[in-house]
Amino acid sequence: MSPRFEELDWQETPIGEVSLRQRRHPVSGEDVYEVKLGDEFLMSSLFTAGEIALAELGLAELPDTALDVAVGGLGLGHTARAALDDPRVRRLTVIDALAEVIGWHQRGLVPLGAGLASDSRCRLVHGDFFAMAAGAGGLDPAEPDLRFHAILLDVDHSPREVLHPRHAALYRPPGLRALAGHLRPGGVFALWSNDPPDEQFVSALTEVFAESAAHVVEFTHPLQGGTSANTVYVAGTRTGTR
């Protein structure tokens, strides 16, 4: 049995102190994994419905063909795992700004880590997704010209509540146009947000993409009771993808 609480790793990073914690749920007895930035909770294995839905909704209407997918933000790995569970995905590039987070997976400190790190379809890339999306060098340093069927992003809390001020540019039409340049024709961009649907961001998506939709993903809240919700935005580069 795991201890009631354990700090598995703590690192000083360019964005602040990042820690990985494991604790035992007092009711279910299950192990819960949490990531904190300073005193702020970034993610918890108790709440994964939105991260899984990001992959499922983002890939849902893509063609039945071998898919190349990019994920911005590794975290605890739930979006990446859900993408790899789709048998159409032949190649997954996961970009994270923190080498420490990638190390958690490579060292097997998080439950999904060993599976992701050992999957031949999956590459864990240390890089700044936002800078890469804004540039012409591509999202995969090994293949700068690679274009993706889908780009799935889960880094900031929402388009309005960003972890770093320079991230905000991506959520405006010029940033979205640059990101869309990394998609294949007919490709899809999907974004996780902790906030309710944001009409201003929907308008920005509409200006750049052929179609877009905001999906509300509800899930049971194991601590407070009742339900909570995330938003998954899905935007397609051609009519018929949403």
Side-chain angles (χ1 to χ4, degrees):
M1 180 179 292
S2 64
R4 184 177 296 275
F5 173 85
E6 183 179 4
E7 186 172 74
L8 301 178
D9 195 28
W10 178 96
Q11 299 282 344
E12 182 69 54
T13 77
I15 64 170
E17 300 173 355
V18 173
S19 60
L20 173 66
R21 311 173 352 148
Q22 176 185 354
R23 63 180 176 84
R24 196 165 65 248
H25 193 282
V27 177
S28 69
E30 296 180 358
D31 288 334
V32 178
Y33 292 81
E34 299 167 331
V35 180
K36 294 186 69 178
L37 176 61
D39 293 327
E40 179 183 9
F41 282 93
L42 288 184
M43 63 197 70
S44 168
S45 62
L46 283 174
F47 310 102
T48 62
E51 297 170 26
I52 294 169
L54 174 61
E56 294 177 343
L57 291 169
L59 304 182
E61 295 191 29
L62 287 171
D64 188 13
T65 187
L67 300 177
D68 297 325
V69 179
V71 172
L74 174 57
L76 294 174
H78 293 281
T79 297
R81 181 68 266 164
L84 288 171
D85 286 343
D86 188 319
R88 297 172 297 165
V89 173
R90 68 176 173 187
R91 178 163 39 189
L92 181 70
T93 302
V94 187
I95 304 159
D96 201 281
L98 298 179
E100 294 81 5
V101 173
I102 293 174
W104 295 343
H105 288 262
Q106 293 171 333
R107 294 158 58 193
L109 292 182
V110 292
L112 300 179
L116 294 178
S118 63
D119 194 312
S120 61
R121 296 172 295 159
C122 180
R123 292 187 64 245
L124 305 180
V125 175
H126 177 216
D128 183 339
F129 175 88
F130 295 86
M132 295 163 79
L139 296 179
D140 189 334
E143 297 188 57
D145 295 328
L146 180 63
R147 297 295 178 265
F148 295 88
H149 295 91
I151 297 173
L152 316 174
L153 179 59
D154 176 7
V155 173
D156 295 309
H157 297 302
S158 74
R160 292 179 183 268
E161 190 178 355
V162 297
L163 295 183
H164 193 286
R166 59 182 168 75
H167 293 183
L170 181 137
Y171 304 110
R172 303 175 188 129
L176 292 170
R177 287 192 189 93
L179 181 144
H182 300 288
L183 288 168
R184 291 172 178 256
V188 168
F189 167 57
L191 172 73
W192 175 91
S193 171
N194 194 46
D195 289 349
D198 184 327
E199 289 303 319
Q200 182 176 337
F201 181 63
V202 170
S203 295
L205 289 173
T206 301
E207 186 173 331
V208 174
F209 293 90
E211 288 194 340
S212 64
H215 302 267
V216 176
V217 179
E218 294 187 342
F219 53 92
T220 301
H221 198 300
L223 299 178
Q224 300 176 355
T227 60
S228 296
N230 298 151
T231 301
V232 174
Y233 299 93
V234 182
T237 57
R238 61 175 168 84
T239 302
T241 303
R242 62 180 185 272

